């Protein structure tokens, strides 16, 4: 990887129909020239203000819309090539979806689909219920959750939901064939890939309707390939949050798959109905805690009203039964954050259902009132971008573990603001978040493996760290800078480093450089939107 440049760009290129923005850490005159060396734009020297999150004196420069071609940005002695084309982001969007294929568990990744990243089937042995060791089951399939080999129901549910909503809203941006085993079966590959997780989640449901929280070992595996990981796996106790998230996701999946495979869709809906019955029969919320002796991902969640809200919205959308609408309304009045779409707070997925699926059917409270509140939250997000030198939709004190999630989530909200209002004023701000993910940031680093001249090389990802191949598995997005919750050993290293630079492209740094399925998925949503604008 080359030295950092003071000219920070979207390293995968720019679209010929959208503004070309770069972040320049320089007070010198900035010159944009085209391929023939003709000056297109100059920006006068100016001493930029300090960006709080990075400590950089940085200028965000909007060069406007440029015809397809090669360009060069100069600032003092620094120069950087910039490429503008008609459809620059389909490849990276497709790769982010295919990234989930590489996370598949329980099957071999065959060479014809996985290329050099091929490996034999993993985690196919019988698993044991943690609480009742006499219960043994076969629960193969699903995606490895992140850098580890665990599989978790709640995170899987939101990942699938991001993908389904991306497909429902922006099919033009995510309908390519991806060379996965199901390609060519008449179903879009994004839905084929999501179904791989859904089939596994179905097996995670107990007969009484509840879902096991996760399927993991007692401890994380060392950095070995998945097929070499033979420690026993356990079905950890059932949880309210896993059951609520799976219920919502399955009710949504029912609608996404019913025209392609009615039998599968019916299975999704009946499983969702059995989950909601369990929830209603067990109204006392018990947050999941890892049983003693279990050290794998906790995914602790102390709030359950958001999972229920999302579930009731999707159930109403799929069944038309007004009792679900009434239940959703009751939860809505408790006050939910409507622009959260991550595993811990899924209220935003319920909001998406109300605003883009139910619409008029949602009624006064769940459409009109909810929409006002939603748009208000979007305006707050937009304000964040104006306070950042890089236009990043994240306050300086919120660079948490997986900061890419709030950044991509906030891009989603600003995109949806435009769809809801017809007002494009937040579109460029949303695009700045996509640019951030692909290199226009304080680290001059693309966070998606395999994309960009300077992108993450050493993600905290067991296959990438143990397959003996120099390149990381492609199409995986790194969690990014983390000032708030770094590992103890990195706390000292980061002590005097500004939040947006607390990052290590080093394999052990799960705290800054892990990958996760539910970070890929909001990026898929954002990539699908911007790619759909390029068709
Ligand atoms: Zn596996």
């Amino acid at each position: 990887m080359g030295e950092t440049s003071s000219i920070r760009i979207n390293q995968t290129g720019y679209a010929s129909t959208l503004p070309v923005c770069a972040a320049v850490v320089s007070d010198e005159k900035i010159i944009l020239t085209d391929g023939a060396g003709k000056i297109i734009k100059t920006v006068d020297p100016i001493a930029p203000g300090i960006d709080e999150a990075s400590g950089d004196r940085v200028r965000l420069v909007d060069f406007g819309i440029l015809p397809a071609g090669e360009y060069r940005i100069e600032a003092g002695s620094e120069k950087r090539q910039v490429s503008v084309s008609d459809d620059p982001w389909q490849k990276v969007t497709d790769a982010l979806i295919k990234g989930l294929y590489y996370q598949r568990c329980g099957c071999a990744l065959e060479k014809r689909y996985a290329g050099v990243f091929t490996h034999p089937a993993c985690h196919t042995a019988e698993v044991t219920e943690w609480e009742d060791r006499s219960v043994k089951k076969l629960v193969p399939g699903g995606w490895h959750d992140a850098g580890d080999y665990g599989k978790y129901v709640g995170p899987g549910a939101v990942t699938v939901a991001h993908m389904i909503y991306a497909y429902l809203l922006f099919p033009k941006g995510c309908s390519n064939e991806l060379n996965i085993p199901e390609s060519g079966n008449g179903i879009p590959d994004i839905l084929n890939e999501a179904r791989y997780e859904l089939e596994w989640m179905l097996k995670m449901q107990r007969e009484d309707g509840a879902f096991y929280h996760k399927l993991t070992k007692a401890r994380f595996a060392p950095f070995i390939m998945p097929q070499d990981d033979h420690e026993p796996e356990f079905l950890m106790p059932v949880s309210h949050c896993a059951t609520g998230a799976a219920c919502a996701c399955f009710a949504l999946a029912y609608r996404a798959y019913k025209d392609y495979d009615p039998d599968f869709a019916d299975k999704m809906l009946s499983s969702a109905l059995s989950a909601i019955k369990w929830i209603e029969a067990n109204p006392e919320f018990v947050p999941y805690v890892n049983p003693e002796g279990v050290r794998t991902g906790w995914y602790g969640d102390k709030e359950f009203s958001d999972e229920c809200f999302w579930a009731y919205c999707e159930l109403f959308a799929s069944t038309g039964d007004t009792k679900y609408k009434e239940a959703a309304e009751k939860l809505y009045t408790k006050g939910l954050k409507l622009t959260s779409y991550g595993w811990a707070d899924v209220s935003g997925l319920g909001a998406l259902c109300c605003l883009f699926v139910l619409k008029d059917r949602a009624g006064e409270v769940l459409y009109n009132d909810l929409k006002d509140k939603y748009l208000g939250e979007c305006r707050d997000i937009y304000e964040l971008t104006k306070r950042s030198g890089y236009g990043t939709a994240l306050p300086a004190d919120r660079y948490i573990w997986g900061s890419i999630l709030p950044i991509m989530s906030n891009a989603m909200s600003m995109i949806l603001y435009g769809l809801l209002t017809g007002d494009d004023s937040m579109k460029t701000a949303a695009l700045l978040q996509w640019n951030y993910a692909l290199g226009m940031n304080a680290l001059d680093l693309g966070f998606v493996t395999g994309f960009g001249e300077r992108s993450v090389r050493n993600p905290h990802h067991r296959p990438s760290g143990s397959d003996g191949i120099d390149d990381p598995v492609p199409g995986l997005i790194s969690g990014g800078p983390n000032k708030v919750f770094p590992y103890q050993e990195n706390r000292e290293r980061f002590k005097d480093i500004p939040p947006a630079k607390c990052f290590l492209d080093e394999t052990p740094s799960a705290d800054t450089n892990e990958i996760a399925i539910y970070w890929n998925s909001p990026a898929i949503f954002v990539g699908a939107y911007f790619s759909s604008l390029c068709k």
Side-chain angles (χ1 to χ4, degrees):
M1 209 186 302
E3 291 294 300
T4 58
S5 166
S6 60
I7 302 163
R8 314 282 162 78
I9 57 169
N10 184 327
Q11 296 173 19
T12 60
Y14 291 88
S16 54
T17 48
L18 291 162
V20 174
C21 297
V24 184
V25 186
S26 163
D27 52 10
E28 304 212 45
K29 183 159 130 180
I30 298 167
I31 302 166
L32 176 77
T33 53
D34 67 10
K38 187 179 146 212
I39 293 177
I40 307 292
K41 182 169 176 144
T42 58
V43 183
D44 290 338
I46 184 179
I50 292 183
D51 169 50
E52 191 190 350
S54 63
D56 288 341
R57 290 192 176 277
V58 60
R59 268 188 289 176
L60 197 54
V61 183
D62 184 343
F63 294 104
I65 291 170
L66 301 170
E70 293 299 314
Y71 295 84
R72 192 165 79 175
I73 301 171
E74 291 179 42
S77 59
E78 293 250 17
K79 300 177 178 63
R80 196 153 191 185
Q81 290 295 125
V82 167
S83 154
V84 178
S85 61
D86 294 336
D87 191 7
W89 302 311
Q90 192 61 63
K91 262 193 195 156
V92 62
T93 304
D94 290 349
L96 284 162
I97 306 169
K98 177 109 180 218
L100 297 165
Y101 164 78
Y102 290 113
Q103 293 292 95
R104 284 191 188 192
C105 183
C107 68
L109 300 191
E110 290 179 42
K111 199 168 179 203
R112 57 187 160 147
Y113 310 118
V116 294
F117 301 104
T118 179
H119 67 71
C122 56
H123 304 112
T124 50
E126 208 172 47
V127 301
T128 308
E129 207 181 75
W130 182 267
E131 292 173 300
D132 179 355
R133 304 292 166 101
S134 70
V135 178
K136 310 267 183 197
K137 290 186 181 181
L138 273 174
V139 193
W143 297 313
H144 300 138
D145 176 65
D148 64 315
Y149 294 134
K151 287 166 286 177
Y152 306 78
V153 167
V158 297
T159 305
V160 167
H162 296 150
M163 293 165 78
I164 291 179
Y165 273 114
Y167 178 71
L168 294 176
L169 292 168
F170 321 119
K172 280 194 295 182
C174 54
S175 289
N176 275 359
E177 280 204 2
L178 303 170
N179 187 30
I180 58 176
E182 299 80 8
S183 293
N185 67 355
I187 301 173
D189 273 351
I190 187 170
L191 296 184
N192 281 325
E193 193 51 54
R195 180 169 172 168
Y196 194 79
E197 181 77 353
L198 288 166
E199 296 275 12
W200 169 77
M201 284 168 65
L202 264 178
K203 298 180 194 132
M204 289 292 283
Q205 189 172 32
R206 226 168 42 178
E207 270 182 18
D208 63 355
F211 280 77
Y212 297 103
H213 192 71
K214 61 177 183 174
L215 174 58
T216 70
K217 295 179 297 283
R219 285 161 191 271
F220 289 124
F223 264 67
I224 53 176
M225 286 298 283
Q227 69 273 17
D228 299 327
D229 178 27
H230 299 297
E231 288 290 308
E233 288 187 301
F234 295 95
L235 290 161
M236 296 301 175
V238 300
S239 77
H240 278 84
C241 287
T243 305
C247 173
C249 175
F250 282 10
L252 164 65
Y254 163 74
R255 302 192 307 276
Y257 293 87
K258 72 177 163 38
D259 294 338
Y260 294 111
D261 187 340
D263 290 344
F264 175 66
D266 286 346
K267 247 194 257 177
M268 290 278 100
L269 187 58
S270 65
S271 167
L273 291 171
S274 124
I276 201 71
K277 266 193 201 126
W278 182 85
I279 289 167
E280 290 177 345
N282 294 273
E284 197 193 330
F285 169 47
V286 184
Y288 175 83
V289 285
N290 263 340
E292 199 162 332
V294 176
R295 295 274 187 82
T296 45
W298 171 29
Y299 289 108
D301 184 346
K302 295 198 177 74
E303 186 57 58
F304 185 44
S305 54
D306 53 307
E307 278 83 6
C308 290
F309 174 70
W310 178 29
Y312 283 126
C313 293
E314 300 288 2
L315 283 168
F316 175 53
S318 289
T319 66
D321 190 332
T322 51
K323 75 179 177 201
Y324 298 127
K325 182 183 166 196
E326 285 156 20
E329 277 174 352
K330 262 189 211 147
L331 290 164
Y332 171 73
T333 54
K334 287 185 177 174
L336 300 165
K337 186 165 185 285
L338 298 175
T339 47
S340 287
Y341 322 96
W343 62 264
D345 186 352
V346 297
S347 314
L349 293 165
L352 250 74
C353 180
C354 293
L355 295 171
F356 294 96
V357 178
L358 293 170
K359 299 183 215 175
D360 288 349
R361 286 162 64 204
E364 180 61 31
V365 174
L366 292 183
Y367 190 77
N368 296 341
D369 193 82
L370 185 145
K371 184 176 169 187
D372 284 349
K373 186 161 179 273
Y374 186 87
L375 296 178
E377 288 185 24
C378 293
R379 282 188 278 270
D380 292 343
I381 291 167
Y382 181 52
E383 287 304 313
L384 294 175
T385 68
K386 293 193 202 159
R387 292 204 288 274
S388 159
Y390 287 88
T392 310
L394 196 67
D397 61 357
R398 295 305 299 154
Y399 281 79
I400 53 168
W401 187 308
S403 54
I404 198 73
L405 174 63
I407 294 172
M408 289 297 101
S409 292
N410 287 342
M412 287 171 65
S413 297
M414 290 190 284
I415 288 166
L416 295 171
Y417 178 92
L419 296 192
L420 284 168
T421 59
D423 168 358
D424 270 353
S425 58
M426 295 187 194
K427 194 197 273 183
T428 302
L431 180 56
L432 296 179
Q433 316 316 310
W434 182 237
N435 290 350
Y436 169 94
L438 295 167
M440 200 197 78
N441 54 54
L443 298 157
D444 188 17
L445 187 74
F447 290 113
V448 180
T449 53
F451 287 83
E453 68 212 71
R454 285 178 46 81
S455 62
V456 164
R457 297 286 305 165
N458 305 295
H460 182 88
H461 178 239
R462 278 164 177 71
S464 294
S466 60
D467 60 9
I469 297 163
D470 198 28
D471 288 331
V473 171
L476 302 173
I477 198 163
S478 162
N482 169 16
K483 178 82 172 184
V484 180
F485 306 119
Y487 280 155
Q488 194 54 42
E489 62 263 35
N490 290 333
R491 206 164 277 280
E492 191 60 27
R493 286 173 80 173
F494 291 158
K495 192 164 58 101
D496 298 319
I497 296 179
K501 291 179 177 169
C502 292
F503 179 82
L504 301 166
D505 186 14
E506 297 172 7
T507 304
S509 181
D511 52 345
T512 72
N513 204 21
E514 190 165 6
I515 64 94
I517 54 172
Y518 48 85
W519 298 335
N520 260 53
S521 54
I524 289 168
F525 187 100
V526 175
Y529 168 71
F530 283 114
S531 293
S532 76
L533 299 183
C534 297
K535 307 296 178 216

